[in-house]
Structure formats: C-alpha cells, structure tokens
Amino acid sequence: MTPSLVQDIETAAGLLAGATDVTLLGHVRPDADALGSALALGHVLHRRGAKVRVSFGEPDEAPETLAWLDVDGLLTKPVDLPPVDGLLVALDTPTLSRLGRLAPRVAAARESGGSVLVVDHHATNGYYGTHHVVTESAEATAVLVARIIEAMGAELDAPAARSLYAGIVTDTSGFRRASPDTHRIAARLLEAGADPGEVSRRIVDDHPFAWLPMLSAVLAEACLEPEGAQGFGLVHTVVRAAEAATVRSEEVESVIDVVRATREAGVAAVLKETAPGPVWTVSLRSAGDVDVSAAAAEFGGGGHRRAAGCTVAGSADEVLDRLREALGRAPLLRAS
Ligand code: MN
C-alpha cells in the first residue's frame, strides 16, 4: 500500500467510527463484492450502535444467493430508503450512473453538508465523493473494506468475515488473481469464522436444475471466431429473454464463466437480452491480452481490463458487429 492509500484508509476509518447514521450503497444489480463489502461494513457499524441501511438502485430484491449474508436485516429497498441524513458510503461503484436511481442521493448528501465516502477498485472511478479510498491495485473492494475495518480497530466476526470473503473469492475468480497480501487477509477472515466451502457453495456453485437446460440452449449457439479480437480469438453467445426467464439472474450471470474457459479465444462475450428493443447487457472477459474495459467504454460501460460490461441496443447481429469493431481497436495488455 502506498502512503497516500494508508492515509485515505485512516481518514475513512475515522469518518466511519464517528458516524451514527450510515447509508451504504452498492452498484445496480449488485454482485458479491458490492453487496458483501456493504454488508460487512454495515454489520460492523450496526454492532457499534449506528443506524445502518444497505441498498442498491435495482432490482428491488437482493440476489437470492447473497441475501443470506444480511444477518442484521440491513437491506432496504430503494423505495423504502429515507432521505440520507448522515454519512453516505458508495462501494464498488466507479461512477454515479452505476448507482442507478439512487445516484441523486449523492448530490443530496453533499448539498446538505454530509460526507460521501467512495470505496472502490475500478480504474475508471470518477471520484464523485467527498472522501475516497480508491485504488486499482486492490483485487476487490472487499479487500479495501477489510483494511478499513482493521483501521477502525473493530473486531472481525463471522458475519463480517463471510461477507468480505464472498467479495474476495468472486472478484479474484477463486483466488486466481489474489496477491500474497490478499491471501493473508483471507486467512484472517477464515480465522474470524468465514467458512470458505459454505460461501463458495452458496454463492458460486449452487444452481437449480433449470440451469442445465438453459445452459444447453445458450451454449448450442456459441460461436468461435479465431481471427476475432485482433487475432487472439473471440467466442460469443447470446442469452435471449425467453431463456433468461427460465432461471434467476445468478444462472444468467454464470454463462460467461463457462464461455470464457474456451482455450482458442482471448476474449469471451455474452449478450444477455435485458429489455425489449432489444437491449443487451454484454459481459466481456479477457484472458489477459486485450483490454476489454476499453471496448466496454465505447458503449458507455466499464469495468476492469480483464472483466467489463456494457449495455447496447440493437439486434444481436448489430451488437456483435459493433463489438467486433471495438475489440479490433482495444489496447493490448502485454507485448506478444
Ligand atoms: Mn469489485
């Protein structure tokens, strides 16, 4: 950690330790890192006696696979969220637009003289708060939250440890991209009571049977373009609304993890039909040669160099054509 990051963490810890009313927000359609980070920090603050709410712009309910992490009942639907009076914390959310319909809360908090703490690990972070703990060097926002909780001098218990572990295990793809320091943090989480088998099973490995026919239909449409993505290879498939309707969002989000395993493809893309039009939410993954966040940014999306996403309207063929072009000019990540 750089001295300035250590200072930012100390400042954030002081801000949180003095707060009596805290609203924690994750990005829309929250993943385990966004929600796990918010619930872990929320749990620690709740235990210290603060009034705490955790929310996100959409959908109304937390994903089933993550809701069990909320042992204190902190999750609050956007419509039930009172006006922010106190500290607002945005987690794993690089830009205001990723807060969805809760984005105006940031301006409201700032106008009323409140503090807005942004904790995030996206390179594209827009520094929209009053205080920031932001570094691309953290593999997960949960890593930064673990350091903030440590700096607060707060004890890590099992619920907080489990939520942080959920964010780290998913954002590092099962520790494939975790530094020695992050493994050390994970060890402390296990010592505090996180059960790695339970977290991985409930969040990553648990699907209803309907997952299999959905995968079967979607994978049958997978297409490999060996010359795509500047010769590194592109594999893609499409999840249509009718197929998505047979399963939860968790199963739809799992498709990219199957498709990205394709050896012949340096880039994997999954188009998920999310609204009539049609409108597609696109997941992009890179094996490490092509910067997919640059391609996603062309469509107003973002993410990380190896994992990014965006939303694009048009027929699947049109969207794929535009993606091919964007990937054709995306920066390369290493000399080859
Ligand atoms: Mn994250």
Side-chain angles (χ1 to χ4, degrees), residues 134-148:
V134 174
T135 174
E136 202 196 342
S137 68
E139 305 94 327
T141 295
V143 168
L144 297 170
V145 172
R147 296 201 183 283
I148 291 169

Side-chain angles (χ1 to χ4, degrees), residues 27 31-34 37 91-93 120-122 138-142 167 170-171 304:
H27 57 72
D31 58 9
D33 191 29
S37 294
L91 297 126
D92 203 40
T93 306
D120 186 33
H121 69 130
H122 289 88
E139 305 94 327
T141 295
T170 52
D171 264 31
H304 307 283

Side-chain angles (χ1 to χ4, degrees), residues 170 173 204 252-262 270 285:
T170 52
S173 299
V204 184
V252 174
E253 295 308 315
S254 77
V255 173
I256 188 68
D257 286 323
V258 180
V259 174
R260 73 178 172 86
T262 305
V270 173
R285 297 291 183 274

Side-chain angles (χ1 to χ4, degrees), residues 192-217:
D195 177 340
E198 182 190 32
V199 173
S200 295
R201 179 177 51 76
R202 294 185 70 159
I203 294 178
V204 184
D205 295 332
D206 180 71
H207 296 287
F209 178 75
W211 182 53
L212 298 180
M214 183 277 290
L215 268 185
S216 170

